[in-house]
Amino acid sequence: MTINPSLSAPGPGRPKDPAKREAILAAAQVLFLGNGYEGSSMDAIAAEAGVSKLTLYSHFGDKEALFCAAVKATCETRLPRRLFQLDDEASIEQVLLDITRAFHALVNSPESIGLHRVMVTMATQNPALVRSFFDAGPQQLLLDLQQLFGQASARGLLRIPEPLRAAEHFCSLIKGVQHFRLLIGYSDAPDESAAEAHVQDVVALFMRAYQR
């Protein structure tokens, strides 16, 4: 029996099912973070999400687009946008502590370490994918921090003439040498006490460097 493709998937003008999109993203996050980019096929992701490949491709045009969307979704889940909001009554130090805790936990997680290792190995094989990964994850974090630091400086909470440069300093402080040790398998992730001590040190140092 011949199936009319127009009856099998939404047409160009039809709204797509948001629940299926979320299921696809959830499946992609699990498989990409667990198996890496090359180890995760679109067939496996569709099966994990409980959708057809036709549905998968109707939401995400290709594997690279799905990968970038999954990276972005992971970052938005672990580093929600509310963390970067500077309310009128907000303490900039508390905002920085919350961001530092969330980013430190994310970047040192086994899934993140595994993904970073995959990106390093693919740097020469698929540089376009690596750039897309950076734009979807790390670059977005830098832009969010740039906006936050710009607002903090405008309100007189900090003195930051170059917000983007300060964002790069901040991320480098959070990752520190420990992140490199994890990448090369030199040590295990810090325990809760050591992680919190690092978070406190980072924010205290950043505040001293940029306080008015």
Side-chain angles (χ1 to χ4, degrees):
M1 183 177 76
T2 302
I3 298 176
N4 186 340
S6 65
L7 301 179
S8 304
R14 293 185 181 180
K16 295 180 175 61
D17 187 342
K20 289 183 178 179
R21 178 184 174 85
E22 291 303 313
I24 294 169
L25 277 176
Q29 290 176 71
V30 170
L31 293 181
F32 280 136
L33 292 178
N35 303 331
Y37 183 80
E38 295 294 345
S40 303
S41 68
M42 295 294 266
D43 283 324
I45 294 171
E48 177 74 17
V51 302
S52 68
K53 281 184 66 177
L54 186 63
T55 297
L56 189 156
Y57 280 108
S58 74
H59 284 272
F60 303 95
D62 54 34
K63 185 177 179 180
E64 183 172 324
L66 176 56
F67 175 75
C68 293
V71 170
K72 184 176 180 180
T74 299
C75 292
E76 290 176 349
T77 299
R78 301 290 293 271
L79 286 167
R81 305 307 292 271
R82 59 177 174 76
L83 290 178
F84 301 89
Q85 295 176 357
L86 190 58
D87 299 328
D88 292 338
E89 299 82 16
S91 159
I92 184 60
E93 184 174 7
Q94 187 58 53
V95 171
L96 293 180
L97 283 169
D98 292 341
I99 293 173
T100 302
R101 288 192 187 100
F103 181 55
H104 188 254
L106 170 61
V107 80
N108 289 333
S109 66
E111 297 84 4
S112 179
I113 292 298
L115 187 57
H116 276 77
R117 287 171 177 162
V118 169
M119 290 298 100
V120 170
T121 61
M122 296 192 70
T124 55
Q125 303 172 25
N126 192 341
L129 177 67
V130 174
R131 285 194 295 270
S132 296
F133 159 76
F134 187 86
D135 290 341
Q139 182 65 21
Q140 185 58 55
L141 171 61
L142 290 172
L143 295 176
D144 288 340
L145 287 170
Q146 179 186 21
Q147 182 176 16
L148 171 65
F149 293 156
Q151 292 176 351
S153 186
R155 295 186 189 184
L157 303 176
L158 296 171
R159 181 176 56 81
I160 305 182
E162 298 181 68
L164 181 56
R165 189 174 183 183
E168 293 175 350
H169 291 165
F170 189 59
C171 289
S172 296
L173 285 172
I174 296 172
K175 292 174 72 174
V177 178
Q178 178 63 41
H179 185 255
F180 184 63
R181 292 192 183 105
L182 290 173
L183 282 176
I184 63 174
Y186 184 84
S187 67
D188 296 326
D191 60 25
E192 186 175 339
S193 177
E196 180 60 24
H198 179 70
V199 166
Q200 296 288 338
D201 285 346
V202 166
V203 174
L205 180 58
F206 189 85
M207 291 292 293
R208 286 198 298 270
Y210 291 100
Q211 65 187 359
R212 296 198 71 86

